[in-house]
C-alpha cells in the first residue's frame, strides 16, 4: 500500500446527508433528537467543492438527500460496484452508539430507537456493515468521512474489523469518540464540514494527510467544542504510509509532496527487507507463506530504528523518482471515460517508464462542454492565461490544456477560422482523427424494426418516423447539444437541413433539462422501466459497448440504427501551445509526443477497441474482433464528416429554438411560508434568481397563491413581457410581495393556472411552463379526487409544471409534487437539490435568457 493517485480511474463520491427525519423526540418517544437543517447546506457545499477538485468527473458525485434506510442501502451498493478507483463516502446526520460504545449506527430518515431496547436502532445503518460493503467494493481506495455524533467511535470499529481489504479504507471523523457535537443553527454548514469544504475549495495539490492536519489546526483555532465543553478534535485512522490525493491543483504542474528520505546508509533492517523481497521474486515458498508476518515485524523494527523515517519511502516504491511533468488533457465529455482509461494505461506502460521504474509523464484528464471549449479557444485565450474576476476560463472551463481531444475534427476549424482578439494559444491538430464512432439511434430491442438492411441507409427523421409507426408512444431522447459534439451532430440530422429547429425539437421527449452526456442518458433511463422500454436514445455507437456498465442488471438491451445524415465522432489529437509558455518547452513537447505516439499507436488502439470504437479509414471497421450487442459490423452509407460552419449554424438554431416562451409563476404566500420567505433561498429569492433565464421577448407573470375560496390567488405581476428591473422591483416590494395570514389551496390555484396557460397556447407553439414554489404545508388539499382533477387537467393542457418544494422529500416518489410534474412533463425540485440553479435552468429552457 502507498500514496494513491486516483486520476484516470472511475471514481465516485457518495454524499449522504440526513437533514430531515420522520420521527423526532418532540413528537414521539422513539424518535431522534431533532431535525438537522445545517446538513442540507453540508451536502450542497461539499458537492460543489468536490466538483472543483479535479478528482471526480462528470456524473461521479452522487448526493443522497435524507434517504430512507432501503434507499441508502441501494445507493451504497451501487457506488461500491461502480467504482474502480477512489470511492469517497460521506455521512452527515444523527449517529448513535450501543451501550458499550463498540457499535456505531448511522441514522437514516426513518430511524427510530426501540423503547426499552437501547441497543436496537431500526432503520439505522450499522457502521460495521457499511465497512464490509465498502471493503468488498471494486474501489482501490475508500475514504470515509463521518460528521455526526460519536463519529470518533468509528476508529475502534475499523481497528477491530477483521474482514479482507480493511487496509484500503481510510477514515476521517469529525470528533473524538463518545462525544456529541453541535449540529449547527441551520444558517450554514456544520462546523466540521464548513472547515472541510473551505480546505477542498482552496488551490493547489491536497492529500488526505495534509487535509487532516489542517482540519485539526483550524478546528482548534476556531474554538469549536463538543457537548461536554471540551475541544472538538477531528480524528483519523488508516494504515501507516497510506495517503490519497483529494485535489489535483488546477493551473499548476502536479507534484507529490516530498516524502521523508532514509539516511544515506540504510539500516540493517531495510537491507534485510530488501533481501526478503528478492527471495519473494525468486519464488521461495517459505517467504510466500510467511512474508506478511515478517514484513509487519520488520517494518515495526525499522520504524523503531529510524525514528519513523523511511517508512513512507518504503511504502511509496521508488523514493528516488523526481515528480514527472504533468500534462493537462481536455476532452469532450462523451470521451472523458475513454481518454481517462487511455491515460491511466499509458501512465504505467513501458512507454512512460524509465529504466529505474519512474514515470516520465503525469496526465490530468478533464472534460469541458464542447461549445465552451470551442468558444474559449476561439475568443478567450487571453483571459484563459490572465483571468479576471468576470472572465475566468480557468474557473469556467478548466486549466489551460496542453492537449485538446475534441469529438469532431471540424472543431479545430471552428476555433481557427473565428479567432478573435489577442490570441494566446495556437492549436496544432493532427491531419486526421485517430478513431471513429457513428452516432446511432439506440432503439429498445422490443421496438426494433426488421433486418439489418432496415437499420442503415435512411435519414434520422425517416428512422424516427418508422419507430413511431411501430409504436405511437415511443419516445426519442438526445443529450445537450451545447455540452457534447455527439448531441450537436445528432441535432444536425434531427433538423434535417430545414430551418424549422423548433419542429425538430418537438420530435423529442424531455422532462427537465437534457442529460449532459450520452452515458448519463443511458444510465438514467433504467431508473424507470417503462421509460427504458419505450425510449430510443441518440448516442455515439461506442457506448453500446462501454456505456452499459452503470446498470447492467436492469438495462433494456438496444439495437443500433444508423442514420445516413448524422456525422460521426472523430476524436482528434490537438496540441495546444501557449504564448510565453516556453520555460519547459522541450520537456513538454517530449511529453506530448510520447502520449501522442502511444495513443495513436497500438497502445491506444487496444483501449479504443475495448471501448467500442472503429477505425478511421475506409469502411470504418470495428477495432474489436467482436461487435457489441446491437451493433452492425459494417453499416452502409455512413454520413460524411461534419463541417465546422454547419455545426455552428445548427448550434445557433438550437439556441433560438425554444423562445420566446411563456412562464407563469405561482408563489405560495400562505402563513406557513413565513420561515421560508427571506433571503436567496426563500420563495421570492428563488423566483428572482430564475428571471435571468427570461428575455424581453418572453412573457411571464407571478401569482401570489393564498386563500381557499375563489381563484385562490391574486396577481403580483401581470402576464406579459417585462424588463428585468420591473419584475425585481415588484418582488422586492414588501407591501406587495409578502406572506398572508391565510392558508393556500394548491388544488384551486393549479387548476386555474393550467386553464390560463392552455388558453394562451392555442394559436402557436411557443414553449410554456408553470412554476409552483411552495413549502407543501397545504398539500393535504392535493389528495384523492382533488389530486385526480389536477392530474387530469395537467395531462390535457400539455403545459409542463415545475413543482419546487422548499422542503426535503417533496419530490419523493408518490408525493403530489412528483406526480404533477411527471404527468405534465415538467420537473420536480425539492430542498435536496440546488434549487436556485435547478429552477434557473428550467426557466432558461423555456425563455430566451437575454435579460
Amino acid at each position: 500500500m502507498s500514496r494513491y493517485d486516483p486520476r484516470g480511474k472511475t471514481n465516485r463520491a457518495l454524499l449522504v446527508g440526513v437533514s430531515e427525519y420522520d420521527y423526532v423526540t418532540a413528537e414521539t418517544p422513539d424518535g431522534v433528537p431533532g431535525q438537522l437543517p445545517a446538513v442540507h447546506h453540508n451536502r450542497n457545499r461539499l458537492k460543489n467543492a468536490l466538483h472543483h477538485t479535479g478528482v471526480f468527473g462528470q456524473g461521479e458525485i452522487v448526493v443522497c438527500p435524507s434517504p430512507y434506510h432501503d434507499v441508502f442501502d441501494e445507493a451504497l451498493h451501487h457506488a461500491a460496484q461502480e467504482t474502480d478507483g477512489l470511492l469517497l463516502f460521506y455521512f452527515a446526520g444523527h449517529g448513535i452508539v450501543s451501550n458499550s460504545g463498540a457499535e456505531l449506527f448511522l441514522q437514516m430518515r426513518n430511524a427510530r430507537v426501540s423503547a426499552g431496547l437501547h441497543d436496537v436502532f431500526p432503520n439505522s445503518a450499522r457502521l460495521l456493515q457499511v465497512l464490509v460493503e465498502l471493503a468488498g467494493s471494486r474501489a482501490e481506495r475508500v475514504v470515509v468521512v463521518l460528521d455526526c455524533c460519536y463519529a470518533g467511535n468509528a476508529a475502534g470499529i475499523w481497528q477491530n474489523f477483521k474482514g479482507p481489504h480493511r487496509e484500503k479504507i481510510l477514515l476521517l471523523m469529525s470528533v473524538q469518540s463518545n462525544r456529541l457535537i453541535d449540529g449547527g443553527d441551520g444558517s450554514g454548514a456544520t462546523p466540521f464540514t464548513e472547515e472541510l469544504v473551505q480546505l477542498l475549495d482552496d488551490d493547489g495539490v491536497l492529500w488526505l494527510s495534509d487535509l487532516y492536519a489542517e482540519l485539526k489546526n483550524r478546528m482548534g483555532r476556531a474554538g469549536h467544542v463538543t457537548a461536554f465543553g471540551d475541544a472538538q478534535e477531528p480524528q483519523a485512522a488508516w494504515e501507516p504510509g497510506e495517503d490519497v490525493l483529494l485535489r489535483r491543483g488546477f493551473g499548476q504542474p502536479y507534484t507529490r509532496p516530498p516524502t521523508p528520505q532514509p539516511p544515506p546508509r540504510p539500516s540493517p533492517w531495510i537491507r534485510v527487507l530488501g533481501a526478503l523481497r528478492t527471495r519473494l521474486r525468486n519464488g521461495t515458498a517459505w517467504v510466500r507463506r510467511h512474508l506478511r508476518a515478517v514484513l509487519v515485524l520488520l517494518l515495526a523494527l525499522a520504524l523503531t530504528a529510524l525514528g519513523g523515517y523511511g517508512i513512507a519511502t518504503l511504502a511509496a516504491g521508488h523514493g528516488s523518482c523526481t515528480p514527472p511533468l504533468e500534462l493537462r488533457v481536455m476532452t469532450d465529455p462523451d470521451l472523458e471515460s475513454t481518454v481517462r482509461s487511455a491515460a491511466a494505461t499509458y501512465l504505467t506502460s513501458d512507454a512512460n517508464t524509465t529504466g529505474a521504474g519512474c514515470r516520465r509523464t503525469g496526465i490530468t484528464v478533464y472534460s469541458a462542454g464542447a461549445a465552451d471549449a470551442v468558444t474559449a479557444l476561439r475568443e478567450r485565450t487571453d483571459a484563459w492565461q490572465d483571468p479576471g474576476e468576470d472572465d475566468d476560463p480557468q474557473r469556467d472551463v478548466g486549466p489551460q490544456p496542453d492537449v485538446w481531444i475534441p469529438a469532431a475534427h471540424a472543431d479545430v476549424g471552428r476555433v481557427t477560422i473565428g479567432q478573435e482578439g489577442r490570441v494566446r494559444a495556437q492549436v496544432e491538430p493532427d491531419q486526421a482523427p485517430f478513431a471513429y464512432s457513428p452516432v446511432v439511434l439506440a432503439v429498445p430491442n422490443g421496438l426494433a424494426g426488421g433486418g439489418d438492411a432496415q437499420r442503415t441507409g435512411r435519414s434520422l427523421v425517416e428512422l424516427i418516423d418508422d419507430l413511431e409507426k411501430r409504436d405511437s408512444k415511443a419516445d426519442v431522447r438526445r443529450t445537450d447539444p451545447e455540452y457534447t459534439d455527439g448531441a450537436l451532430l445528432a441535432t444536425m440530422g434531427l433538423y434535417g437541413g430545414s430551418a424549422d429547429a423548433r419542429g425538430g425539437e418537438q420530435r423529442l421527449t424531455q422532462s427537465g433539462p437534457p442529460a449532459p452526456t450520452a452515458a448519463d442518458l443511458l444510465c438514467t433511463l433504467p431508473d424507470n422501466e417503462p421509460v427504458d422500454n419505450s425510449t430510443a436514445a441518440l448516442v455515439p455507437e461506442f457506448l453500446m459497448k462501454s456505456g452499459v456498465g452503470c446498470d447492467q442488471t436492469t438495462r433494456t438491451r438496444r439495437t443500433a440504427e444508423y442514420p445516413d445524415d448524422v456525422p460521426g465522432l472523430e476524436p482528434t489529437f490537438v496540441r495546444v501551445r501557449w504564448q510565453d509558455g516556453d520555460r519547459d518547452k522541450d520537456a513538454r513537447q517530449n511529453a506530448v509526443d510520447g502520449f501522442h505516439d502511444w495513443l495513436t499507436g497500438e497502445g491506444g488502439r487496444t483501449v479504443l477497441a475495448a471501448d467500442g470504437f472503429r477505425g478511421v479509414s475506409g469502411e470504418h471497421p470495428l477495432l474489436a474482433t467482436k461487435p457489441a450487442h446491437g451493433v452492425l459490423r459494417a453499416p452502409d452509407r455512413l454520413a460524411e464528416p461534419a463541417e465546422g460552419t454547419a455545426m455552428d449554424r445548427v448550434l445557433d438554431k438550437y439556441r433560438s429554438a425554444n423562445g420566446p416562451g411563456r412562464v407563469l409563476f405561482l408563489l405560495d404566500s400562505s402563513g406557513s411560508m413565513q420561515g421560508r420567505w427571506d433571503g436567496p433561498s426563500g420563495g421570492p429569492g428563488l423566483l428572482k434568481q430564475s428571471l435571468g433565464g427570461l428575455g424581453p421577448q418572453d412573457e411571464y407573470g407571478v401569482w401570489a397563491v393564498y386563500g381557499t375560496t375563489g381563484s385562490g390567488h391574486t396577481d403580483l405581476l401581470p402576464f406579459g413581457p417585462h424588463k428585468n428591473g420591473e419584475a425585481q422591483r415588484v418582488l422586492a416590494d414588501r407591501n406587495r410581495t409578502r406572506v398572508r395570514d391565510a392558508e393556500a389551496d394548491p388544488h384551486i390555484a393549479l387548476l386555474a393556472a393550467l386553464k390560463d396557460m392552455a388558453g394562451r397556447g392555442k394559436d402557436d407553439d411557443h414553449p410554456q411552463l408553470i412554476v409552483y414554489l411552495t413549502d407543501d404545508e397545504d398539500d393535504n388539499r392535493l389528495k384523492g379526487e382533488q389530486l385526480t382533477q389536477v392530474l387530469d387537467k395537467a395531462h390535457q393542457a400539455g403545459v409542463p409544471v415545475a413543482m419546487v418544494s422548499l422542503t426535503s422529500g417533496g419530490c419523493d416518489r408518490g408525493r403530489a409534487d412528483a406526480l404533477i410534474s411527471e404527468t405534465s412533463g415538467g420537473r420536480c425540485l425539492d430542498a435536496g437539490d440546488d434549487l436556485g440553479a435547478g429552477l434557473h435552468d428550467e426557466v432558461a429552457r423555456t425563455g430566451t435568457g437575454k435579460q
Side-chain angles (χ1 to χ4, degrees), residues 265-282 284 286-287 290-291 293-302 305-306 314:
R265 295 179 60 84
S267 80
W269 292 113
I270 293 181
R271 293 199 297 271
V272 172
L273 179 59
L276 283 173
R277 293 175 68 184
T278 300
R279 292 177 66 190
L280 174 62
R281 286 194 297 269
N282 292 336
T284 303
W286 185 90
V287 176
H290 301 289
L291 180 65
V294 172
L295 284 178
V296 171
L297 173 61
L298 291 177
L299 282 171
L301 292 170
L306 297 175
L314 288 170

Side-chain angles (χ1 to χ4, degrees), residues 54 574 792:
V574 182
D792 288 346

Side-chain angles (χ1 to χ4, degrees), residues 460-471:
L460 177 58
V461 170
E462 289 173 328
L463 291 174
I464 293 175
D465 286 343
D466 195 39
L467 172 65
E468 292 175 344
K469 288 176 184 176
R470 295 194 295 269
D471 187 339

Side-chain angles (χ1 to χ4, degrees), residues 748-767:
I748 295 176
L750 284 167
L751 288 179
L754 289 163
K755 180 180 179 181
D756 181 278
M757 292 295 279
R760 295 181 188 276
K762 285 182 178 179
D763 301 325
D764 58 49
D765 57 358
H766 289 194

Side-chain angles (χ1 to χ4, degrees), residues 220-490:
R221 290 197 302 267
H224 297 299
V225 297
T226 73
F228 291 171
D230 55 345
Q232 180 180 346
E233 299 178 357
Q235 304 291 303
W238 55 74
E239 294 286 350
E242 276 295 321
D243 214 343
V244 174
L245 180 71
L246 294 180
R247 187 180 63 231
R248 69 186 184 195
F250 280 131
Q252 63 182 61
Y254 165 72
T255 59
R256 292 181 183 272
T259 56
Q261 298 296 315
R265 295 179 60 84
S267 80
W269 292 113
I270 293 181
R271 293 199 297 271
V272 172
L273 179 59
L276 283 173
R277 293 175 68 184
T278 300
R279 292 177 66 190
L280 174 62
R281 286 194 297 269
N282 292 336
T284 303
W286 185 90
V287 176
R288 288 184 184 275
R289 291 195 301 270
H290 301 289
L291 180 65
R292 179 177 176 85
V294 172
L295 284 178
V296 171
L297 173 61
L298 291 177
L299 282 171
L301 292 170
L303 179 60
T304 303
L306 297 175
Y309 290 94
I311 299 301
T313 302
L314 288 170
H318 301 284
S320 61
C321 295
T322 59
L325 184 147
E326 190 78 7
L327 288 183
R328 300 177 295 271
V329 178
M330 177 176 72
T331 190
D332 183 280
D334 274 343
L335 300 178
E336 182 179 5
S337 178
T338 297
V339 176
R340 277 179 177 247
S341 295
T345 305
Y346 172 70
L347 288 179
T348 57
S349 69
D350 290 342
N352 192 48
T353 306
T354 69
C358 299
R359 288 184 182 179
R360 302 178 190 274
T361 303
I363 297 179
T364 295
V365 176
Y366 67 99
S367 65
D372 289 341
V374 168
T375 301
L377 286 168
R378 182 173 59 198
E379 304 171 10
R380 302 174 66 194
T381 56
D382 192 12
W384 211 339
Q385 193 161 53
D386 187 17
E389 184 175 344
D390 298 326
D391 191 4
D392 186 357
Q394 292 189 23
R395 174 197 63 210
D396 303 334
V397 181
Q400 297 166 252
D402 301 298
V403 176
W404 174 38
I405 302 180
H409 191 273
D411 282 348
V412 179
R414 296 171 68 194
V415 169
T416 57
I417 293 173
Q419 280 187 323
E420 299 177 358
R422 185 163 57 171
V423 178
R424 294 289 191 94
Q426 300 294 331
V427 293
E428 299 177 2
D430 281 0
Q431 292 300 310
F434 59 82
Y436 179 84
S437 182
V439 176
V440 301
L441 185 66
V443 180
N445 285 358
L447 299 181
D452 292 354
Q454 298 299 310
R455 296 162 58 186
T456 63
R458 291 187 290 171
S459 70
L460 177 58
V461 170
E462 289 173 328
L463 291 174
I464 293 175
D465 286 343
D466 195 39
L467 172 65
E468 292 175 344
K469 288 176 184 176
R470 295 194 295 269
D471 187 339
S472 61
K473 296 182 179 179
D475 295 331
V476 177
R477 298 195 184 188
R478 175 213 56 203
T479 55
D480 187 347
E482 296 205 54
Y483 200 63
T484 68
D485 276 339
L488 181 58
L489 297 172

